[in-house]
């Protein structure tokens, strides 16, 4: 939009709102229920275009469909834990400047009768500097601490991606149950219609009508409950993404999770190995720092004084600070060496745990895959055939009410089992894609 004059009318305000909404949701496709219709008309008497904005719903309650990839991207951008991790990296980067550490400057004044009965003055300045490998050791330690903070952030990103994916498909599971509920409502509504017709013609008793009405009412109640479930799933997803937008999974997303690859297995192994190896590297540099602290420090000084109250006499001093009692730093270096062994043991334990976990998750995944293949290749077809045949037979009077209900319940149970199996498959596939990492 080009710049408009403030004429005091509503058109200018509507243009400002339209421009804001366009910028705010530039990267997100608006759902049909929240479309913004902008009508731009040119006035015959004016060179300016005015915007008329019509909102079809309140944006506070609109749902924004979004793909899994975009959801994960938003979560990584918004997540507070990752922002804290970035701050930790920045902190360690700043601390790299502390590698060169000098002692405070010593300034001393002395006055009195230290040379004769006359009152003399003495001023001295002393500064000690680190020598040897201590500065290099400090710098290397800070560099390794920066890398360790980066490894922690990578682990946090992994956990966030896993949590978002699980939450995303939990919502899709609720959608699949909602679709099944709508299908059941159609089936039992048709059943109620046939039962009412049979009752009116005297072919059956009122029990069939009452039973059909009860079942339709039950399905309507379940539909209302499912709306609450979906609201809960949506808030869980919104929590992990940490956004004020009411995001929901894109309806075009397949209900079956299919991003399973072997690359993620190597990814999690690399994350664990790199983290603990970096931890070991930090302890190694820490031990080197403690060892370097046992080296002497070089001191340089300057003094000026009066003798018999006569003019200042000047001179220079040089010396060493020698740590005669270095047992403290030696003990700290030994403690760092022990920490290295601990980290190596933790790495070995996590590798073993991850390997066994992958085998367990693989078995669970293959079990759920086997069940899902049955329902997709045969079970759902049987359910449709049962429903179609039972409805025709009942409508034609070739099947009793109780037989019809029995077959109908069997078919519905198959469909419900398929939905549950699909959810279990998705959960197992995601867990296999993102194995848990312990002792971070």
């Amino acid at each position: 939009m080009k710049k408009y004059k403030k004429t005091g009318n509503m058109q200018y305000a509507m243009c400002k709102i339209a421009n804001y909404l366009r910028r705010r949701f530039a990267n997100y496709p608006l759902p049909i229920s929240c479309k913004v219709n902008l009508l731009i008309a040119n006035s015959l008497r004016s060179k300016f275009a005015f915007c008329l904005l019509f909102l079809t719903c309140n944006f506070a309650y609109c749902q924004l469909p979004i793909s899994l990839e975009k959801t994960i991207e938003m979560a990584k951008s918004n997540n507070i834990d990752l922002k804290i991790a970035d701050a930790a990296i920045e902190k360690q980067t700043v601390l790299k400047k502390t590698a060169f550490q000098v002692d405070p400057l010593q300034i001393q004044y002395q006055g009195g009768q230290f040379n004769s009965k006359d009152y003399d003055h003495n001023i001295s300045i002393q500064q000690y500097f680190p020598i040897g490998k201590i500065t290099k050791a400090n710098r290397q330690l800070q560099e390794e601490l920066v890398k360790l903070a980066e490894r922690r952030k990578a682990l946090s990103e992994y956990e966030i991606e896993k949590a978002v994916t699980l939450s995303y498909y939990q919502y899709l599971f609720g959608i699949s149950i909602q679709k099944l509920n709508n299908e059941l409502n159609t089936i039992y509504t048709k059943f109620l219609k046939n039962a009412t017709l049979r009752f009116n013609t005297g072919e059956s008793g009122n029990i069939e009508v009452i039973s059909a009405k009860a079942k339709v009412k039950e399905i309507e109640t379940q539909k209302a409950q499912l709306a609450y479930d979906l609201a809960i799933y949506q808030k869980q997803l919104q929590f992990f993404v940490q956004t004020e937008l009411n995001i929901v999974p894109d309806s075009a997303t397949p209900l079956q999770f299919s991003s399973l690859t072997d690359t993620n297995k190597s990814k999690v192994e690399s994350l664990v190995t790199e983290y603990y190896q970096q931890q070991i590297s930090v302890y190694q540099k820490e031990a080197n720092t403690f060892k370097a602290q046992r080296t002497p420090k070089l001191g340089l000084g300057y003094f000026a004084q009066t003798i018999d109250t006569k003019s200042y006499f000047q001179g220079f001093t040089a010396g060493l600070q020698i740590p005669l009692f270095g047992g403290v730093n030696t003990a700290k270096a030994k403690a760092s060496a022990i920490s290295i062994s601990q980290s190596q043991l933790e790495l070995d334990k996590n590798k073993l745990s991850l390997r066994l976990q992958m085998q367990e998750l693989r078995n669970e995944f293959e079990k759920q895959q086997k069940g899902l293949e049955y329902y997709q290749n045969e079970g759902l077809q049987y359910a449709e055939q049962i429903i179609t045949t039972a409805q025709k037979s009942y409508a034609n009077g070739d099947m009793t009410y109780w037989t019809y209900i029995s077959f109908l319940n069997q078919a519905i149970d198959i469909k419900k089992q398929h939905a549950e199996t699909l959810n279990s498959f998705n959960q197992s596939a995601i867990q296999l894609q993102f194995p848990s990492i312990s002792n971070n």
Side-chain angles (χ1 to χ4, degrees):
M1 289 281 177
K2 296 181 180 179
K3 186 169 68 175
Y4 297 93
K5 293 182 178 179
K6 293 185 178 180
T7 58
N9 52 31
M10 186 173 292
Q11 285 93 335
Y12 176 79
M14 300 301 274
C15 285
K16 297 290 286 185
I17 296 173
N19 283 333
Y20 168 76
L21 292 174
R22 183 180 289 107
R23 293 192 304 269
R24 182 69 177 82
F25 296 98
N27 297 325
Y28 305 102
L30 288 174
I32 295 177
S33 60
C34 299
K35 277 187 176 177
V36 179
N37 300 313
L38 298 176
L39 301 180
I40 304 176
N42 291 322
S43 174
L44 295 177
R45 298 183 180 179
S46 175
K47 295 182 180 179
F48 299 101
F50 295 101
C51 299
L52 299 179
L53 178 66
F54 300 94
L55 296 177
T56 59
C57 72
N58 186 340
F59 270 85
Y61 298 98
C62 285
Q63 292 183 333
L64 183 65
I66 187 171
S67 66
L68 176 60
E69 292 75 15
K70 192 66 178 179
T71 306
I72 293 174
E73 180 183 336
M74 286 182 62
K76 290 182 178 181
S77 175
N78 298 339
N79 190 269
I80 296 177
D81 289 334
L82 293 184
K83 292 179 180 179
I84 294 174
D86 286 331
I89 295 172
E90 184 180 2
K91 171 186 173 182
Q92 294 300 333
T93 302
V94 171
L95 287 175
K96 289 168 64 176
K97 299 178 181 179
T98 65
F100 181 69
Q101 299 178 8
V102 297
D103 290 353
L105 179 67
Q106 297 180 7
I107 302 177
Q108 184 177 356
Y109 167 78
Q110 184 178 6
Q113 297 171 324
F114 50 81
N115 190 57
S116 65
K117 63 179 183 179
D118 296 322
Y119 198 94
D120 288 309
H121 307 276
N122 178 282
I123 297 176
S124 62
I125 299 174
Q126 191 86 4
Q127 178 67 65
Y128 282 90
F129 301 91
I131 59 176
K133 299 180 180 180
I134 181 62
T135 299
K136 180 181 178 181
N138 284 334
R139 184 176 64 254
Q140 290 177 342
L141 174 59
Q142 292 301 328
E143 289 173 350
E144 296 304 320
L145 286 172
V146 171
K147 294 178 182 178
L148 182 61
E150 292 172 346
R151 298 289 183 268
R152 287 198 182 100
K153 180 184 177 182
L155 290 175
S156 297
E157 287 180 335
Y158 173 85
E159 293 294 347
I160 289 170
E161 186 174 352
K162 175 182 178 180
V164 169
T165 304
L166 285 170
S167 181
Y168 193 92
Y169 274 88
Q170 184 65 32
Y171 186 93
L172 289 178
F173 168 67
I175 291 296
S176 67
I177 295 297
Q178 189 180 59
K179 290 180 178 179
L180 177 59
N181 181 267
N182 292 336
E183 184 179 349
L184 295 181
N185 186 59
T186 301
I187 292 173
Y188 276 100
T189 299
K190 186 175 182 180
F191 169 48
L192 175 60
K193 180 180 178 181
N194 290 334
T196 303
L197 180 62
R198 287 164 63 93
F199 174 73
N200 292 335
T201 58
E203 298 179 31
S204 64
N206 193 34
I207 185 63
E208 296 184 16
V209 178
I210 297 174
S211 176
K213 287 182 178 179
K215 196 64 180 178
V216 170
K217 189 63 178 179
E218 178 185 345
I219 293 173
E220 290 176 350
T221 302
Q222 291 174 351
K223 182 178 180 180
Q225 291 175 325
L226 283 171
Y228 286 105
D229 289 338
L230 285 175
I232 293 172
Y233 298 152
Q234 190 277 328
K235 290 304 176 184
Q236 290 174 346
L237 179 61
Q238 189 175 349
F239 168 77
F240 288 119
V241 178
Q242 295 187 355
T243 177
E244 295 296 329
L245 298 174
N246 291 320
I247 59 173
V248 294
D250 192 344
S251 58
T253 304
L255 296 178
Q256 182 174 337
F257 182 76
S258 59
S259 298
L260 194 63
T261 59
D262 291 333
T263 56
N264 222 56
K265 175 184 175 182
S266 59
K267 177 182 176 181
V268 66
E269 290 176 347
S270 297
L271 286 173
V272 173
T273 302
E274 289 174 359
Y275 174 76
Y276 284 105
Q277 286 181 344
Q278 186 57 40
Q279 202 173 66
I280 290 172
S281 182
V282 167
Y283 289 133
Q284 288 173 340
K285 301 303 180 184
E286 187 180 67
N288 292 339
T289 301
F290 291 135
K291 291 177 183 178
Q293 288 176 355
R294 295 180 297 188
T295 60
K297 292 183 179 181
L298 174 64
L300 299 176
Y302 165 83
F303 71 90
Q305 73 175 57
T306 61
I307 298 177
D308 296 334
T309 67
K310 294 181 181 180
S311 300
Y312 277 103
F313 295 88
Q314 304 180 67
F316 297 91
T317 62
L320 292 174
Q321 280 188 350
I322 301 175
L324 295 178
F325 306 99
V328 173
N329 289 323
T330 301
K332 289 180 179 180
K334 289 182 179 179
S336 296
I338 295 173
S339 297
I340 293 173
S341 301
Q342 282 182 309
S343 294
Q344 184 61 53
L345 291 173
E346 289 176 355
L347 174 59
D348 295 338
K349 184 190 74 171
N350 275 273
K351 283 184 176 180
L352 175 61
S353 175
L354 185 60
R355 184 167 63 253
L356 295 177
Q357 183 186 175
M358 290 294 294
Q359 295 174 358
E360 180 182 347
L361 292 174
R362 172 64 64 178
N363 290 334
E364 178 65 21
F365 169 76
E366 291 177 353
K367 182 185 78 172
Q368 298 299 336
Q369 187 179 41
K370 192 74 173 178
L372 184 61
E373 287 175 351
Y374 159 72
Y375 287 108
Q376 290 178 339
N377 298 333
E378 300 180 64
L380 290 179
Q381 296 180 14
Y382 292 148
E384 293 297 336
Q385 292 174 3
I386 291 172
I387 292 173
T388 301
T389 304
Q391 285 178 336
K392 289 181 179 179
S393 299
Y394 180 73
N396 295 332
D398 300 331
M399 182 178 293
T400 64
Y401 163 74
W402 299 111
T403 304
Y404 172 67
I405 289 296
S406 176
F407 281 122
L408 198 59
N409 287 336
Q410 180 184 0
I412 292 171
D413 185 63
I414 292 174
K415 287 178 174 288
K416 288 182 178 180
Q417 288 298 320
H418 167 255
E420 294 290 343
T421 302
L422 178 59
N423 183 52
S424 298
F425 169 84
N426 286 339
Q427 298 294 316
S428 64
I430 295 171
Q431 291 289 350
L432 184 59
Q433 181 86 349
F434 301 96
S436 299
I437 300 176
S438 59
N439 296 330
N440 290 345

